Amino acid sequence: MDNNAPSECTFEESLSIAKKHNTKLVWLGREPAEYISELLGLHEGDIIKAEPSDFLSSSGEQLKRFENSVLVCYHGNTSMYVAKFLKQKHNITSYSMKGGVTAITGEIF
């Protein structure tokens, strides 16, 4: 097992991780965070929006705020890529929600 590989977690595990680390789910898609929080049945304050490209142009110090956050995208691919980037380039531990929003809602984007 690769110790640098980010962990994938289910929706339920995502909520548990966010609560344990006092973090929020981080939405990486185009839609507003409010829309995704409603779709997932969460409070608006439980999820924030971030642009995947911002991770590439931000410093490690700026990215520290994502330590122990759960990254969420449409299918789980972008969130896994960003989680790997954070770990490999900045040694920041984050998680990727397995299967993304479509795995939970069945919604097709």
Side-chain angles (χ1 to χ4, degrees):
M1 179 177 218
D2 181 0
N3 289 335
N4 281 326
S7 296
E8 284 189 300
C9 51
T10 65
F11 179 60
E12 292 77 18
E13 290 168 333
S14 298
L15 298 177
S16 178
I17 289 166
K19 184 175 181 178
K20 177 182 175 184
H21 294 288
N22 196 29
T23 59
K24 302 190 183 294
L25 300 183
V26 180
W27 171 240
L28 302 174
R30 291 185 307 261
E31 293 74 19
E34 296 80 21
Y35 172 75
I36 298 303
S37 65
E38 185 178 317
L39 197 61
L40 296 176
L42 302 173
H43 296 278
E44 278 188 34
D46 292 338
I47 190 164
I48 60 171
K49 182 171 175 28
E51 294 294 327
S53 59
D54 291 345
F55 288 88
L56 300 174
S57 60
S58 298
S59 71
E61 198 58 40
Q62 293 169 317
L63 295 171
K64 289 260 185 237
R65 67 186 180 118
F66 295 107
E67 182 78 40
N68 292 312
S69 292
V70 178
L71 307 175
V72 182
C73 66
Y74 299 103
H75 304 285
N77 300 323
T78 301
S79 58
M80 182 55 84
Y81 176 83
V82 172
K84 283 181 183 178
F85 173 82
L86 288 172
K87 185 64 176 172
Q88 292 171 353
K89 299 291 186 194
H90 301 287
N91 199 30
I92 295 172
T93 299
S94 61
Y95 304 85
S96 173
M97 192 166 78
K98 188 175 186 174
V101 171
T102 57
I104 287 82
T105 65
E107 189 87 11
I108 300 196
F109 293 90

